[in-house]
Amino acid sequence: MSTSNNALFLEQAVQLLGERAVKTALSDLEPYCVDWRKRFFGKAAAILYPRTTEQVAGVVCLANQHGVALVPQGGNTGLSGGATPDASGTQVILSLSRLQAVRHQDPANKTLTVEAGVTLKQVQELADGMQLLFPLSLGAEGSATIGGNLATNAGGTGVLRYGNARDLCLGVEVVSASGEIWNGLRGLRKDNTGYDLRDLFIGSEGTLGLITAAVLKLFPKPAGVMTALIQVASPRHAFELLQLAQAKCDAALTGFEYMSAESTQVVIDHFPEVARHGAQIIGGILGGNNSMVAERSDSVLMEISHPESESAATSMLETVIGQALDQQIVGDAIVAQSIAQSSALWHLREAITLAAAEDGAQVKLDIALPLSRLVTFIDQVNREMLAAFPGVRLHNFGHFGDGNLHYNIGAPQHLAAGKSVQERRAIYLDYIQTHEEAIRRLVHDRVMAMNGSISAEHGLGQLRKAEAWRLKSPVELALMKRIKQALDPNGILNPGKVL
Ligand code: FAD
Ligand code: MLT
Ligand code: ZN
């Protein structure tokens, strides 16, 4: 795009959206030109804030006229650099965050229709106000938008029972790459009228169309939701516990998160108050024994949702844990006795990502495997990783029940012993930058050999694009390219991402 095209585009964007919706000052742009982890830094010519679907369509038409590339952005919490512009300074960020309307609430159909910029937390609250549940749940829900959740096909902690964002969406409204508005806001659970366009846009990371609104699927609220933190000696024990819990609880098992000892250690290192709070709660339950937080051990956070009551949920948890103790599958265990105690346990789990960011750079991975191969994978790759990169920290944790692990790797701690926080971060960054590609390849090669996926929920964005090219079959890549070419022939939408 030439500077004159750029200037004309911006002039017409101001006419369309108004001056206050077109920002070009560096200070307005900077926070949106970097990703949440601060691993991708770009430059943008402007950031635009349309308020309606028609305005979004108008912007896309202008972008086509002037050959301007648009980078869609919601809450900018993505973990793969998908919402960050490139370094050219010519791309324009199109924020969907001001599309805020609640279009329709239909309790009888158990659906809620909202625009793309409504945050996930707001959606959960709206559903709650309808005495229903929207079960998508993730650590960034206060800022992440429903448009971003659908564009990344987000997962989170409720997938085991309720599915990922794709499963929770019945219809979308989309502005195509040529500026047409497709109203696919149908609240239908069955609809076999040709190609599934909805599913094409969901998970396409802003490269095929702009999601401007969605019909979301709601569920009856369980009467009781309870959580337990359970010590396990190894991933194999976690797997055995999962088998037992699934057999006993079936659909009542709504969460099964694994945390390696090193992943909880990072919370203890950087957020001692979170760990302490967890320890106090746990101490309260166990009468002063808080060894589970103090000791280094792998653990599982298990959640049961019961249609009858909290006490029924608690008793179901206790039954499963009782049997697991009898069979020597688990060590110590803590069953929360209240919502507050449950929240404190979840807080420990959610704090891993924030504590890891505080620690410094990591190799961030997001793999999926058939459950039957997960344990072999962890044992084998842990061994190989430590042999190839002595001293690295295996911060792996995640949605074990879905076969999805964030098999993250931290730099060896001894490298920064006695250093200041700034020095430590620089040392870790240097180590990670030096070894990132080799570490990623080691993990991804094993994942592919076991018929897994290199991204379960975070998407390709910029982070995994090269790896997807390396590992996907030529046929799959060619089909993807043909879809992109058909839907976005001018390459206006999020160029350089995914493909
Ligand atoms: P953004 O980051 O703004 O954008 C993400 C991608 O979607 C980009 O490619 C962007 O171009 C595109 N996009 C955004 N909005 C639209 C739109 N309306 N139309 C078309 N394209 C669009 N993710 C999980 O899956 N599971 C988790 O458990 C999880 N936990 C997290 C915890 C923390 C602390 C953080 C920081 C992130 C976590 N994430 C998780 C990642 C992130 O929150 C999700 O990817 C989320 O869905 C992104 O939403 P967003 O609105 O921030 O999107
Ligand atoms: C999580 O499961 O906590 C998220 O996906 C974030 C992360 O991977 O760090
Ligand atoms: Zn996750």
Side-chain angles (χ1 to χ4, degrees):
M1 181 186 65
S2 74
T3 322
S4 58
N5 280 356
N6 204 340
L8 251 180
F9 169 83
L10 290 178
E11 205 179 297
Q12 292 177 3
V14 168
Q15 283 164 15
L16 178 73
L17 307 176
E19 239 168 63
R20 287 168 54 193
V22 180
K23 310 266 186 205
T24 53
L26 205 59
S27 56
D28 288 329
L29 298 178
E30 258 171 3
Y32 306 101
C33 289
V34 56
D35 70 312
W36 188 86
R37 286 203 306 142
K38 301 194 171 37
R39 292 301 303 277
F40 294 99
F41 294 86
K43 277 190 197 153
I47 180 163
L48 309 184
Y49 292 98
R51 286 184 178 276
T52 64
T53 301
E54 289 69 26
Q55 286 187 342
V56 174
V59 170
V60 175
C61 290
L62 287 179
N64 276 286
Q65 272 167 37
H66 298 289
V68 173
L70 299 173
V71 180
Q73 198 174 92
N76 200 20
T77 68
L79 296 173
S80 307
T84 311
D86 68 14
S88 68
T90 61
Q91 299 190 330
V92 168
I93 300 172
L94 179 60
S95 171
L96 284 310
S97 63
R98 292 196 186 161
L99 274 80
Q100 284 277 341
V102 177
R103 299 252 188 108
H104 187 48
Q105 303 192 33
D106 188 345
N109 194 37
K110 295 195 179 53
T111 50
L112 170 63
T113 306
V114 294
E115 293 189 346
V118 176
T119 65
L120 174 53
K121 179 101 185 127
Q122 288 168 328
V123 168
Q124 292 166 348
E125 286 166 0
L126 283 161
D128 195 56
M130 294 164 71
Q131 306 311 317
L132 291 166
L133 172 77
F134 185 62
L136 189 67
S137 174
L138 43 90
E141 61 202 21
S143 317
T145 62
I146 208 69
N149 296 154
L150 290 169
T152 55
N153 187 24
T157 53
V159 176
L160 182 63
R161 159 70 177 88
Y162 298 102
N164 49 22
R166 183 188 301 286
D167 301 310
L168 301 173
C169 175
L170 296 179
V172 285
E173 177 187 80
V174 167
V175 171
S176 76
S178 41
E180 306 129 311
I181 298 172
W182 171 52
N183 184 333
L185 293 175
R186 292 186 285 266
L188 303 176
R189 284 163 179 81
K190 299 182 101 173
D191 179 12
N192 276 357
T193 52
Y195 303 140
D196 198 328
L197 296 180
R198 176 196 62 191
D199 273 357
L200 199 52
F201 292 113
I202 294 176
S204 68
E205 301 183 54
T207 61
L208 300 180
L210 299 160
I211 298 170
T212 49
V215 185
L216 304 171
K217 192 171 161 187
L218 308 180
F219 294 80
K221 263 202 279 192
V225 181
M226 270 309 149
T227 314
L229 183 67
I230 304 160
Q231 201 171 37
V232 287
S234 70
R236 174 155 309 282
H237 292 85
F239 178 75
E240 285 171 14
L241 178 63
L242 175 66
Q243 299 302 306
L244 180 71
Q246 283 183 320
K248 293 280 160 211
C249 312
D250 194 14
L253 181 67
T254 46
F256 195 97
E257 299 283 315
Y258 166 78
M259 299 179 277
S260 69
E262 284 183 296
S263 71
T264 41
Q265 183 62 44
V266 110
V267 180
I268 296 167
D269 287 348
H270 296 288
F271 297 140
E273 72 288 359
V274 173
R276 217 173 9 249
H277 182 57
Q280 276 160 4
I281 296 261
I282 292 160
I285 302 167
L286 290 185
N289 176 356
N290 58 21
S291 62
M292 286 191 55
V293 171
E295 269 174 22
R296 288 166 66 94
S297 114
D298 291 359
S299 53
V300 164
L301 196 64
M302 190 160 102
E303 183 189 81
I304 298 287
S305 301
H306 203 284
E308 281 164 22
S309 64
E310 265 172 32
S311 59
T314 306
S315 121
M316 195 177 235
L317 266 176
E318 285 171 348
T319 306
V320 173
I321 293 169
Q323 288 199 11
L325 281 165
D326 289 347
Q327 295 173 27
Q328 297 183 334
I329 295 174
V330 303
D332 218 347
I334 294 131
V335 180
Q337 301 294 323
S338 68
I339 305 281
Q341 290 177 353
S342 265
S343 307
L345 297 184
W346 272 111
H347 204 42
L348 280 177
R349 158 65 182 84
E350 302 289 9
I352 296 173
T353 308
L354 307 175
E358 192 61 31
D359 189 67
Q362 303 195 310
V363 182
K364 197 143 178 72
L365 297 153
D366 173 37
I367 58 151
L369 286 160
L371 272 170
S372 48
R373 304 183 95 163
L374 195 56
V375 173
T376 312
F377 170 88
I378 300 173
D379 289 348
Q380 185 177 336
V381 180
N382 280 358
R383 245 191 341 267
E384 290 177 0
M385 189 63 67
L386 290 171
F389 305 96
V392 291
R393 286 169 293 158
L394 307 170
H395 284 165
N396 84 68
F397 69 97
H399 319 292
F400 195 96
D402 310 327
N404 172 198
L405 275 188
H406 301 303
Y407 191 88
N408 298 340
I409 302 296
Q413 218 164 12
H414 68 81
L415 295 179
K419 304 286 182 190
S420 70
V421 172
Q422 297 306 336
E423 288 167 333
R424 181 190 77 220
R425 293 216 180 115
I427 291 167
Y428 286 176
L429 183 62
D430 182 56
Y431 182 91
I432 293 299
Q433 282 176 336
T434 308
H435 299 291
E436 185 153 27
E437 193 181 338
I439 289 177
R440 202 179 281 140
R441 278 184 171 235
L442 192 166
V443 176
H444 286 172
D445 286 348
R446 288 283 167 252
V447 165
M448 296 310 283
M450 293 189 189
N451 214 8
S453 165
I454 64 165
S455 179
E457 55 174 19
H458 295 163
L460 300 180
Q462 306 183 46
L463 181 63
R464 299 186 182 87
K465 195 173 90 159
E467 281 294 83
W469 274 86
R470 184 171 77 85
L471 298 167
K472 272 187 181 287
S473 79
V475 176
E476 196 172 345
L477 284 169
L479 288 170
M480 282 170 63
K481 276 196 255 176
R482 268 181 251 162
I483 292 172
K484 172 73 175 170
Q485 176 63 27
L487 292 186
D488 182 17
N490 297 333
I492 294 295
L493 292 184
N494 223 0
K497 314 292 166 46
V498 181
L499 280 169

